[in-house]
């Protein structure tokens, strides 16, 4: 058959519009990445002035934060963030793994189908709601827990504090643990479901119990994915601001105990952005804190995305 | 006939679907029984009732009696892990445990409380030899099992199944994922093993049934149509449906 339209005007127009469509979709798709780069560049640009004043090392490790006197050290805030995040992970990861194992390996399919949407719903609750819940429920409980622990065990490292209120990194950790649980459970459930049924059956067929099959056949296969799920939770916890800010006490001192108050980086930025323009270099210091958060969260996300992608490839091959 | 497994009035339901309809069958001891029939006829379903793999799937109901020697394996006081130890299964594809070659075989021994290292080692060697894999892997036992070829992997799965010393071996199309040479190796092993084990395989390859089977079971649409010595069923079937299947008309 002859290509009667070749070279004609309408053919050229169609080829052109096809190319145009492809280009514009590419542009739309690369927009998020572009925005991220722009954001990082802007933060970096606004941070740089602080380094004429303090060295990057001093900025990260100094423990004095007196903007009016020109002292900018982030270490108390970094340690506040690390404490709260670590605590949230310790509290959230083991129960989430057990819950996921139950849902995938033991529960009936119907149970899983009923519970997964509820878990996704939990992930969508605004963080201020979690914050209020923390304020009303968790904060009052924390001092009682502290008294109880002291009554039973006496003075223990990391568990003894002179803080009379419940505003503490423990309260922050508990609220955060609840907030990051949905993402950890939903990723872990997905990961466990990618383990082929034949692998379970291989263990069961030689007389293993369900738990033995899970422990020796399923979990080793799923481990990288479970770690990635925990890292996803970690980066979520790292960046969470409002709910933590409401319960953590916001006292700029390095915590010595889980019952001490703390002051995470995110809370620092949120509490002070209003006055940052009135003090020289204050804005640059806060931008530096934001840049630090951004970089750490990007690193965590990229790492876990890489692990999950590789896991997906292995399963499909 | 000396029957090792005896099935009476077996019905299996997947939800509302009835997959097996009132099956009665005697499986002879120390012979190879081949279950044949077109896709979806209930071959695999029948096989999976024998090691209680239907327990793993929601909404599956098994009714009837499956007696292994004199024990009803579906009786409430029977330990299912013991059933699966006595009645082993070789799957369609080699599914490896995420561990070394050695540990894949030793896994079953260890979960059944064999702790003496020398004993475990002896068993692993014995069953790798029985599965015809020992010479190929004896110098690389600590390597991950995934480093083996797929044919070797299936023989490793055979060794893993044999190591817990079952009395019955089930094979769910155990050669269908393999190349012809690996398939021949597995078939050779099964032939050698039948003096010590009762073997039941599902196969959709008629020629394989002819090569291997002493006893043949033909299934169609969830019903057991005909069962008997291979020479009889394969060469002079009684039922018209069996005839049609054997002549390739089905």
């Amino acid at each position: 058959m002859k290509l009667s339209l070749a070279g004609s005007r309408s053919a050229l127009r169609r080829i052109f519009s096809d190319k145009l469509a492809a280009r514009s979709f590419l542009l739309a798709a690369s927009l998020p990445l572009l925005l991220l780069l722009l954001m990082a560049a802007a933060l970096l640009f606004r941070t740089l002035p602080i380094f004429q004043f303090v060295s990057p090392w001093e900025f990260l490790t100094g423990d004095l934060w007196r903007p009016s006197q020109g002292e900018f050290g982030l270490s108390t805030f970094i340690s506040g963030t690390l404490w709260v995040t670590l605590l949230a992970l310790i509290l959230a990861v083991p129960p989430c793994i057990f819950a996921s194992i139950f849902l995938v390996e033991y529960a009936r399919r119907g149970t899983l189908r009923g519970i997964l949407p509820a878990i996704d719903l939990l992930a969508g609750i605004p963080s201020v709601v979690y914050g209020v819940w923390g304020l009303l429920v968790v904060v009052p409980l924390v001092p009682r827990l502290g008294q109880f622990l002291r009554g039973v065990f006496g003075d223990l490292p990391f568990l003894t504090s002179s803080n009379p209120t419940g505003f503490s990194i423990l309260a922050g950790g508990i609220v955060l643990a609840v907030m990051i649980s949905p993402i950890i459970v939903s990723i872990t459930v997905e990961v466990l479901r990618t383990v082929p049924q034949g692998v379970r059956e291989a263990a069961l067929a030689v007389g293993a119990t369900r738990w033995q099959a899970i422990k020796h056949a399923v979990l080793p296969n799923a481990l990288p994915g479970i770690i990635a799920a925990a890292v996803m939770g970690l980066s979520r916890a790292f960046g969470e601001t409002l709910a933590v800010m409401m319960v953590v006490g916001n006292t700029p001192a390095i915590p010595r105990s889980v019952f001490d108050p703390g002051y995470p980086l995110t809370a620092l930025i949120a509490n002070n952005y209003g006055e940052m323009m009135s003090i020289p270099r204050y804005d640059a210091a806060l931008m530096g804190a934001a840049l630090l958060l951004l970089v750490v969260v990007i690193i965590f996300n990229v790492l876990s995305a890489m692990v999950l992608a590789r896991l997906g490839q292995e399963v499909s091959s | 006939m000396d029957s090792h497994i005896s099935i009476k009035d077996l019905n299996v339901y997947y939800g509302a679907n009835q997959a097996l309809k009132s099956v009665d069958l005697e499986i002879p001891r120390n012979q190879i029984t081949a279950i044949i029939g077109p896709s979806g006829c209930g071959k695999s379903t029948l096989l999976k009732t024998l090691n209680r793999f239907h327990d793993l799937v929601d909404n599956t109901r098994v009714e009837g009696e499956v007696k292994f020697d004199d024990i009803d394996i579906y009786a409430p006081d029977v330990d299912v892990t013991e059933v699966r130890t006595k009645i082993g299964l070789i799957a369609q594809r080699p599914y490896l445990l995420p561990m070394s070659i050695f540990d894949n075989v030793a896994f079953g021994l260890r979960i059944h409380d064999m702790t003496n290292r020398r004993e475990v080692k002896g068993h692993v060697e014995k069953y790798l030899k029985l599965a015809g894999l020992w010479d190929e892997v004896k110098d690389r036992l600590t390597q991950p099992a995934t480093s083996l070829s797929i044919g070797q992997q299936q023989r490793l799965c055979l060794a893993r199944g044999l190591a817990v010393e079952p009395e019955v071996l089930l094979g769910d199309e155990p050669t269908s994922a393999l190349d012809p040479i690996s398939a021949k190796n597995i078939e050779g092993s099964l032939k050698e093993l039948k003096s010590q084990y009762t073997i039941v395989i599902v196969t959709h390859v008629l020629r394989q049934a002819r090569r291997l089977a002493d006893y043949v079971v033909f299934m169609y649409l969830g019903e057991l149509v005909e069962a008997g010595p291979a020479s009889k069923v394969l060469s002079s079937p009684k039922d018209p449906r069996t005839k049609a299947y054997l002549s390739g008309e089905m």
Side-chain angles (χ1 to χ4, degrees):
Chain A
M1 201 180 80
K2 250 171 99 181
L3 293 171
S4 55
L5 285 175
S8 78
R9 255 184 134 175
S10 75
L12 287 176
R13 200 162 54 225
R14 281 169 57 184
I15 291 168
F16 174 75
S17 64
D18 190 39
K19 277 187 179 162
L20 187 71
R23 291 280 153 81
S24 32
F25 286 129
L26 176 69
L27 190 71
S30 43
L31 214 58
L33 192 66
L34 209 70
L35 273 176
L36 184 64
L37 287 176
L38 277 175
M39 224 145 68
L43 283 177
L44 184 65
F45 182 68
R46 294 292 300 272
T47 303
L48 285 175
I50 195 76
F51 296 135
Q52 294 165 358
F53 196 68
V54 291
S55 73
W57 178 250
E58 277 176 89
F59 185 58
L60 291 176
T61 59
D63 56 2
L64 285 178
W65 182 265
R66 293 190 208 120
S68 51
Q69 284 144 52
E71 289 180 283
F72 298 100
L74 284 180
S75 78
T76 47
F77 306 99
I78 292 174
S79 82
T81 292
L82 290 180
W83 268 93
V84 172
T85 309
L86 204 70
L87 214 55
L89 275 188
I90 292 171
L91 293 173
V93 168
C96 286
I97 291 176
F98 290 135
S100 310
I101 289 175
F102 170 76
L103 286 173
V104 177
E105 306 290 336
Y106 290 98
R108 296 183 148 262
R109 281 279 160 266
T111 314
L112 181 65
R113 271 199 295 273
I115 286 185
L116 272 189
I119 288 172
D120 290 340
L121 208 68
L122 276 180
I125 293 177
S127 60
V128 67
V129 176
Y130 282 106
V132 169
W133 169 75
L135 210 56
L136 295 178
V137 180
V138 180
V139 169
L141 282 179
V142 165
R144 285 198 229 163
L145 179 68
Q147 275 166 11
F148 171 75
L149 287 178
R150 195 179 302 176
V152 177
F153 300 109
D155 284 354
L156 286 175
F158 301 125
L159 289 175
T160 309
S161 167
S162 55
N163 176 18
T165 74
F167 292 97
S168 57
I169 53 171
L170 180 61
I174 292 172
V175 170
L176 265 185
V178 174
M179 291 181 73
I180 64 176
S181 290
I183 190 169
I184 299 179
V185 170
S186 68
I187 296 178
T188 308
V189 162
E190 281 316 308
V191 166
L192 290 175
R193 286 165 87 177
T194 61
V195 176
Q197 184 62 16
V199 173
R200 292 177 184 88
E201 290 180 354
L204 294 168
V206 291
T209 60
R210 277 205 172 191
W211 171 239
Q212 284 168 330
I214 293 165
K215 188 173 150 203
H216 298 289
V218 178
L219 288 183
N221 272 314
L223 189 65
I226 294 174
I227 292 171
V231 174
M232 283 285 189
L234 178 75
S235 67
R236 172 95 210 270
F238 210 79
E240 175 51 40
T241 310
L242 192 59
V244 180
M245 202 165 93
M246 290 166 77
V247 300
V248 82
N250 301 331
T251 306
I254 292 181
R256 303 279 166 219
S257 143
V258 298
F259 292 103
D260 282 343
Y263 205 161
L265 278 169
T266 48
L268 171 75
I269 300 168
N271 279 330
N272 296 297
Y273 74 95
E275 51 187 290
M276 71 182 182
M277 294 305 186
S278 54
I279 299 169
R281 298 184 197 86
Y282 201 178
D283 59 331
L286 289 183
M287 292 303 154
L291 183 66
L292 181 64
L293 278 172
L294 185 69
V295 168
V296 172
V297 167
I298 288 175
I299 291 174
F300 283 156
N301 276 301
V302 168
L303 282 181
S304 54
M306 273 163 53
V307 173
L308 287 173
R310 234 188 71 193
L311 214 65
Q313 264 171 19
E314 269 169 34
V315 168
S316 61
S317 68
Chain B
M1 186 177 81
D2 177 15
S3 91
H4 202 170
I5 296 176
S6 138
I7 298 167
K8 281 206 183 71
D9 194 21
L10 181 71
N11 292 281
V12 176
Y13 303 86
Y14 296 134
N17 267 347
Q18 187 167 8
L20 285 187
K21 295 168 188 163
S22 188
V23 170
D24 292 297
L25 176 65
E26 305 284 324
I27 294 171
R29 191 184 298 274
N30 292 12
Q31 293 194 14
I32 298 182
T33 299
I35 306 174
I36 60 171
S39 306
C41 68
K43 308 185 289 275
S44 293
T45 304
L46 178 58
L47 197 77
K48 283 182 177 177
T49 54
L50 302 182
N51 73 341
R52 287 187 54 177
F53 257 21
H54 293 304
D55 292 18
L56 305 172
V57 186
D58 289 346
N59 293 325
T60 305
R61 212 165 76 242
V62 178
E63 286 170 1
E65 193 183 81
V66 179
K67 275 198 165 171
F68 170 64
D69 287 326
D70 282 324
I71 302 151
D72 182 356
I73 61 168
Y74 282 90
D77 59 338
V78 164
D79 177 4
V80 64
T81 62
E82 207 178 323
V83 171
R84 294 186 189 138
T85 312
K86 293 279 181 214
I87 304 178
L89 173 83
I90 312 301
Q92 211 167 62
R93 294 180 28 138
Y95 280 108
L96 303 168
L97 298 170
M99 43 186 90
S100 70
I101 296 170
F102 183 92
D103 288 338
N104 257 277
V105 184
F107 172 76
L109 303 168
R110 291 184 181 135
I111 61 171
H112 292 109
D113 300 323
M114 186 186 283
T115 46
N116 183 321
R117 274 192 186 187
R118 195 176 296 163
E119 203 182 350
V120 171
K121 221 174 149 191
H123 271 70
V124 171
E125 181 174 340
K126 176 178 167 191
Y127 290 105
L128 278 171
K129 277 180 178 159
L130 200 55
L133 192 61
W134 175 253
D135 290 331
E136 292 158 62
V137 300
K138 63 178 181 223
D139 301 319
R140 47 191 280 211
L141 291 169
T142 54
Q143 286 180 20
T146 43
S147 65
L148 297 173
S149 76
I150 189 160
Q152 291 172 321
Q153 290 181 10
Q154 190 66 319
R155 277 182 280 153
L156 182 66
C157 291
L158 180 61
R160 183 178 65 203
L162 293 172
V164 294
E165 306 191 324
E167 295 174 27
V168 178
L169 262 186
L170 311 175
D172 186 1
E173 304 192 10
T175 62
S176 65
L178 306 182
D179 59 275
I181 293 170
S182 305
K184 215 175 143 194
N185 279 328
I186 293 279
E187 284 186 11
S189 300
L190 291 178
K191 268 188 185 163
E192 275 175 40
L193 291 168
K194 75 174 177 185
S195 59
Q196 302 162 60
Y197 301 87
T198 299
I199 297 173
V200 186
I201 60 163
V202 162
T203 179
H204 64 278
V205 185
L206 262 180
R207 274 173 304 176
Q208 186 173 50
R210 286 187 208 280
R211 285 194 298 267
L212 285 180
D214 305 301
Y215 199 79
V216 169
V217 178
F218 174 66
M219 309 264 312
Y220 186 60
L221 298 176
E223 278 176 59
L224 190 153
V225 175
E226 196 166 348
S231 51
K232 277 193 185 151
V233 176
L234 293 176
S235 54
S236 50
K238 286 187 205 130
D239 193 286
R241 288 170 292 180
T242 320
K243 262 181 210 156
Y245 180 71
L246 291 175
S247 62
E249 286 163 27
M250 201 174 263

